[in-house]
Amino acid sequence: ETSLNVVGSWGSLEMHQKFEQPFWSRTLPEASDGEIMTQVTSFDQMGIANSDVFRYLGDGLFDVGITVGDYTVSDAPELEGLDLPMMTTESDQAREVAEAFRPIAERALNQRFNSHVLAIVPYPAQVLFCNTPISGLSDLEGKKVRGSGRSTGEFLEALGAQSLNIAFNEVPGSLERGVIDCAVTGSMSGYSAGWYDVSSHMLPLPIGGWDYVITAINQDKWESIDVAEQQLIQDQVDDAFTAPVWANAENETQRGIACLTGKGDCPAGDPAGMTLIEPTRADTERARQALQDVVLPAWAGRVDADTLEQWNAGVGQVVDLQAEAP
Amino acid sequence: MIGFLSAGILTLLLAGIPVAVTLFLLAFGIDQFFSFFPLTKALGQNLWSAADSFLLIAIPLFVLMGEIIVRAGIAEKAYRAMDHWLSWLPGGLIHANITTAALFSATSGSSVATAATISTVALPQGDKLNYDPRLFCGSIAAGGTLGILIPPSINLIVYGFLTETSIPRLFMAGLIPGLGLSLLFMAMALVMCLWKPSLGGPRNVASWNARLRSLAFLVPLLILFTVIVGSIYLGWATPTEAAAIGVIVSLGLAAANRRLEGRMLMAALDGTVKTTSMLLFIILAASFLNFALTSSGLVQQLNTLLNTWDLSPYALLLAVIALFIVLGFFIETLSLMVITIPIVTPLIVAAGFDKVWFGVVMILFVEMALITPPVGLNLYIVQAARRGKPFSDVVVGTLPFIGAMLLMAALLVFFPGIALWLPNSL
Amino acid sequence: MSTFIKGLDGLVCFTRGVSRLAARVIGLALLAVVVFIGVEILLRKLTGHSLSGVHEYAGYVLAVLSAWGISHTLLERAHIRIDVVHGRLPPLSRHTLNVLSLLALNLVAWMIAINVYPVLGKSLNNGSTANTPLATPLWIPQLLWAAGYCWFAFTTSVMGLRVLAALFQRDVATLDALAGMDNGELTEALPAREAQR
Ligand code: NA
Ligand code: NA
């Protein structure tokens, strides 16, 4: 018999409620015929910082930890390479990126947090909300934009915008009072948090990346489980967790856009009337330029040569970019 | 486990063990007896992540501002002005106590600081003029609690921090209930003194000339309030930044009063470090205890329990209020908030109540906890300033004001607009 | 015996001095935070650009304050204690509770001191940097912070030893001066007292 204590990501979001919670508390125990027992909570319910989840996981405070990779880049700068802004705009390609990055993530979690990666899945794409009319990325010049995380900040600055760090719950008020002009979050989270009341335009490009969520298990715990059971856990995670989350991601991004703009079906409630900006070719190229000239070299300077080589051979091939230390 | 906790808290606190130490000991106890994980391993990381916070630096900054205002003699002058304007009412100086507290609250983030300030300026007057000590002390202890309802407010910042609620909205929501409660306090004092004039003291009618001249004494507090709340609302500053602006402005005011000197500033800084580190020690202990409680499953147990009761929204609210009142007798207020918020707020929000509105309701009961024995900080603040006289005076004197607080709570429940109108219309 | 006591008294004086000095330095750091926030707001309004790092460093100042400030607070007896029952007990039980309370503080202080090192250790091992444009190496603020808690553990131990010695010597005056409840504690922690002058 195996008992697993699972600490999931944001308890209030769909990712935890619709996927993590059902998978760990029901699907897996049932698939194991009761051999595996679990207790599931989320890091915010537990009252710990999202950036500390893997530190605690390594200490064996719990057995399975789930958090956004970008939150832990303080301890593991390698993980930034999973989610650089605008690396890919397609959900299919994003999935290939996640798979190509898996060896780097495994090594980082192994060495830094004494744990083993079980899954990498995305939150819906992080898109841009503005309270002033914009027609594309070039209009961000001189605007004050709320973005979270180091590489998003570098990206925004490279576009000529001023990047401000404001807590999520202060964003609507700040947009309303004009403290910031634009902010980045998932389309559906933006809809649920009522950002459409305080902003008028939306640019559906993954400016903030995909906010990949990494599920990992404590290494000692993993090694104490017999091989057959390890196989069972990994298979179940792949089929009953990773696959449905990816299928949902694209779907949820579309639903969020429909709810925010009123174009399409909004099952979540009354649609809002935001203006949808269609990204142009020029936008995509400009973003790619910023990524290639500023963000990628800056990241390359923060990691070791092995990681860089591995990244260039894997993720670099998928997104057709090569990173070089400055 | 609930039994262990209640018994533990009571025994340790009553034995005179420092509050923060009590909370840490309880958390260690939970780790020893009720938890499957080695929780203490997480102690260091918990302390660091909770303390490395830009939001919480608002606490020392607001404390520092209060220190400067008092040392610059600004609070004392404001009290004199309120005396000129209001001491003709039945109850005399009692109204000056309440209104000065309300005014000072508009610049202070803490109830304890407010009560301490008003005690300093008011108690000598009350003794000199032979006021009945009960109502006089009660009005200071209760008036002081306004400090956390009228913005700015450290407790509202902590609530916003823990529940991820917008702090400017919380501040706005506290303003009208805070002013309303001040009026209720005054009305209560008026009624008591009309009913039994011996409860008050001599009434004092100042000339209009003196009244108008004294208005100048209110200008500094008015400037401070406008700058702090205004800068938040115009989007120039976050609440923490507004606290820093407040410090700068109060330094300017002290200089204008010719009270700004090196020694005064060093003493103010020393007092700030002492008060803040004491408060932080308690906040950090409470946050670690909270982590221990959640990790050991107590919160889930309580949630399940409440879910099986299947209460209607108002029954749930009533149960939560009863919980606040009972815990409020025994638990220090910041700990009270930190312990209950993670358990209670999700339930209340799920029942359809507004998070901002609930923040204000909670603050009202936190205010009550400040003046209910045995653990009521404001009672001790006032008592400490009048050593050697019976403590029961202060306790009895607050009873009418507790009545006013209950009335205010009922008004908030039946007319939520009292709190929500202002933030929604700005 | 008396040299031992004298040595302890010297140590108490020493910890008092260092703790007060630390409190002063932190106070000045707070003032610096105020100034930098003011400058940042001005720059933001006037030029549209801000000083990077003010928020980050303010967070470190608060963390360091939380660790270093408590020793000074302890020596000034400004930690909140409830004296409802305590104040009414006969002297012997009161002294016993005072000593117990200081020993409990010792336990907590040492638990914290032992458990802060792993935080620093992990940051050193991983070469952790803040998730901000400045990418400050986290070990620097964490070292200052951890040292504060170690100093607190040292302070409580010195106090504990001195108080135990006083207990054996039936030295009530010292006992009260070091571990007694300060009835003016709350006003002392606040501006009131100074203003009365
Ligand atoms: Na206030
Ligand atoms: Na109380």
Side-chain angles (χ1 to χ4, degrees), chain B residues 55 57-66 69 101-114 143-159 167-176 178-179 220-233 237-247 250 363 367:
Chain B
L55 188 62
I57 201 147
I59 296 179
L61 298 188
F62 278 129
V63 173
L64 178 58
M65 188 175 68
I69 294 175
L103 264 177
F104 192 74
S105 297
T107 63
S108 152
S110 134
S111 283
V112 174
T114 307
T145 66
L146 292 168
I148 56 172
L149 186 55
I150 298 176
S153 158
I154 289 174
N155 293 57
L156 279 174
I157 292 179
V158 171
Y159 178 85
I167 291 164
R169 276 176 65 82
L170 284 169
F171 276 12
M172 276 302 108
L175 189 57
I176 294 180
L179 296 178
L221 290 180
L222 204 68
I223 293 177
L224 262 178
F225 178 71
T226 315
V227 168
I228 294 172
V229 176
S231 66
I232 295 177
Y233 276 83
T238 66
T240 310
E241 291 169 343
I245 299 179
V247 172
S250 61
I363 293 294
E367 285 188 81

Side-chain angles (χ1 to χ4, degrees), chain B residues 13-21 24-25 28 40-48 50-57 60-61 63-64 66-67 70-71 76 110 112-113 116-117 119-120 124 234-238 240-245 247-248 251 263-267 269-282 284 330 332 374-375 377 380-381 384-385 387 391, chain C residues 20 22-24 26-28 30-31 33-35 37-41 44-45 54-73 76 78-86 88-89 97-98 100-102 104-105 107-108 111-113 115-116 118-119 122 138 141-142 145 149 152 181-197:
Chain B
L13 285 183
L14 292 181
I17 308 279
V19 177
V21 174
F24 274 121
L25 289 178
F28 297 156
T40 319
K41 257 190 179 172
L43 177 60
Q45 196 65 46
N46 248 273
L47 290 174
W48 169 260
D52 175 22
S53 152
F54 181 66
L55 188 62
L56 291 184
I57 201 147
L61 298 188
V63 173
L64 178 58
E67 295 260 353
V70 170
R71 285 170 209 271
E76 202 186 332
S110 134
V112 174
T117 309
S119 302
T120 321
L234 291 174
W236 292 9
T238 66
T240 310
E241 291 169 343
I245 299 179
V247 172
I248 295 173
L251 283 173
R263 238 193 30 194
M264 175 269 218
L265 192 57
M266 282 320 287
L269 287 173
D270 186 76
T272 304
V273 170
K274 245 189 299 182
T275 309
T276 311
S277 57
M278 172 204 59
L279 287 174
L280 277 176
F281 201 32
I282 295 175
L284 295 176
F330 304 107
E332 185 280 326
V375 182
L377 266 192
Y380 293 106
I381 297 282
R387 257 179 248 184
F391 180 56
Chain C
R20 180 166 299 144
R24 264 223 182 135
I26 294 168
L28 292 174
L30 272 178
L31 211 55
V33 167
V34 169
V35 171
I37 292 179
V39 171
E40 153 144 43
I41 295 169
R44 205 162 60 201
K45 280 280 101 187
V54 175
H55 287 215
E56 189 186 333
Y57 288 139
Y60 300 149
V61 168
L62 191 73
V64 171
L65 189 165
S66 74
W68 274 99
I70 43 181
S71 300
H72 181 53
T73 310
E76 300 272 316
H79 284 294
I80 297 189
R81 299 169 65 186
I82 311 298
D83 77 339
V84 184
V85 174
H86 185 273
R88 285 168 202 193
L89 294 173
L97 281 180
N98 283 341
L100 271 180
S101 139
L102 197 56
L105 190 65
L107 174 69
V108 168
M111 283 296 255
I112 295 177
N115 281 289
V116 290
V119 179
K122 275 189 202 123
L138 284 178
Q142 284 176 347
W145 164 81
Y149 278 121
F152 182 53
M181 226 181 252
D182 182 1
N183 286 324
E185 60 184 345
L186 296 167
T187 38
E188 195 172 39
L190 290 155
R193 188 174 274 188
E194 179 80 6
Q196 254 167 342
R197 283 177 198 155

Side-chain angles (χ1 to χ4, degrees), chain B residues 177-263:
Chain B
L179 296 178
L181 187 59
S182 321
L183 288 178
L184 280 181
F185 281 172
M186 285 175 71
M188 194 55 88
L190 199 69
V191 170
M192 296 287 293
C193 291
L194 283 173
W195 169 60
K196 212 173 160 197
S198 65
L199 287 175
R203 290 154 65 173
N204 164 29
V205 185
S207 70
W208 277 100
N209 193 0
R211 282 184 190 173
L212 290 176
R213 258 186 297 128
S214 72
L215 279 183
F217 294 163
L218 301 180
V219 172
L221 290 180
L222 204 68
I223 293 177
L224 262 178
F225 178 71
T226 315
V227 168
I228 294 172
V229 176
S231 66
I232 295 177
Y233 276 83
L234 291 174
W236 292 9
T238 66
T240 310
E241 291 169 343
I245 299 179
V247 172
I248 295 173
V249 173
S250 61
L251 283 173
L253 292 170
N257 251 6
R258 295 173 197 290
R259 290 283 190 89
L260 185 62
E261 41 182 308
R263 238 193 30 194

Side-chain angles (χ1 to χ4, degrees), chain A:
Chain A
E1 262 186 19
T2 309
S3 158
L4 294 177
N5 286 294
V6 183
V7 172
S9 58
W10 292 108
S12 55
L13 295 184
E14 221 174 48
M15 171 76 78
H16 183 71
Q17 292 174 354
K18 269 179 67 182
F19 298 101
E20 293 167 7
Q21 176 77 34
F23 174 78
W24 289 102
S25 61
R26 279 199 309 278
T27 314
L28 184 65
E30 278 164 20
S32 72
D33 286 329
E35 279 300 301
I36 297 176
M37 291 184 309
T38 58
Q39 246 202 321
V40 187
T41 179
S42 65
F43 69 75
D44 46 333
Q45 278 164 20
M46 205 167 168
I48 60 181
N50 48 31
S51 54
D52 292 343
V53 170
F54 288 159
R55 279 193 170 206
Y56 289 136
L57 180 64
D59 282 346
L61 203 65
F62 36 79
D63 308 310
V64 176
I66 311 175
T67 192
V68 178
D70 280 352
Y71 294 159
T72 56
V73 301
S74 269
D75 286 327
E78 300 86 3
L79 295 182
E80 263 179 295
L82 169 60
D83 195 25
L84 298 169
M86 290 291 292
M87 210 156 61
T88 167
T89 55
E90 305 294 325
S91 131
D92 287 346
Q93 206 181 37
R95 187 163 187 181
E96 283 175 49
V97 168
E99 272 154 23
F101 192 80
R102 184 87 174 239
I104 303 181
E106 177 66 26
R107 196 156 55 98
L109 267 89
N110 237 302
Q111 289 174 357
R112 298 189 186 275
F113 303 114
N114 183 35
S115 34
H116 163 76
V117 178
L118 289 176
I120 301 178
V121 293
Y123 270 125
Q126 304 286 302
V127 301
L128 186 74
F129 293 72
C130 292
N131 64 359
T132 53
I134 53 162
S135 55
L137 277 186
S138 51
D139 288 345
L140 284 187
E141 199 156 333
K143 297 258 190 320
K144 284 171 279 185
V145 185
R146 180 262 187 188
S148 53
R150 186 161 48 202
S151 50
T152 307
E154 284 166 350
F155 178 73
L156 289 168
E157 301 275 344
L159 292 176
Q162 189 187 344
S163 157
L164 292 177
N165 201 351
I166 291 179
F168 185 78
N169 49 309
E170 298 293 357
V171 171
S174 304
L175 277 170
E176 196 169 17
R177 298 193 305 272
V179 180
I180 48 175
D181 304 304
C182 303
V184 172
T185 195
S187 56
M188 205 62 202
S189 338
Y191 176 75
S192 324
W195 285 22
Y196 49 82
D197 278 337
V198 291
S199 57
S200 53
H201 289 66
M202 185 188 56
L203 182 65
L205 282 176
I207 307 249
W210 293 78
D211 269 8
Y212 293 92
V213 175
I214 300 177
T215 305
I217 185 166
N218 177 284
Q219 187 74 32
D220 304 331
K221 184 74 184 187
W222 183 243
E223 279 159 12
S224 76
I225 299 173
D226 67 60
V227 179
E229 202 161 270
Q230 281 182 354
Q231 194 60 47
L232 173 84
I233 293 176
Q234 189 60 64
D235 289 347
Q236 285 295 319
V237 168
D238 289 345
D239 299 343
F241 178 69
T242 311
V245 174
W246 277 104
N248 181 63
E250 176 66 7
N251 199 326
E252 191 180 324
T253 305
Q254 290 314 323
R255 260 186 300 138
I257 293 174
C259 286
L260 288 164
T261 59
K263 291 183 187 117
D265 221 21
C266 175
D270 293 332
M274 290 185 70
T275 311
L276 182 69
I277 313 294
E278 288 296 343
T280 60
R281 227 194 139 77
D283 278 340
T284 324
E285 267 162 26
R286 199 185 155 93
R288 209 158 166 90
Q289 208 63 46
L291 176 60
Q292 206 158 8
D293 296 348
V294 180
V295 182
L296 205 50
W299 173 68
R302 291 193 282 266
V303 295
D304 60 21
D306 285 353
T307 306
L308 222 48
E309 198 177 313
Q310 225 170 353
W311 192 91
N312 283 333
V315 179
Q317 298 298 323
V318 176
V319 297
D320 194 21
L321 285 168
Q322 291 295 299
E324 250 180 87

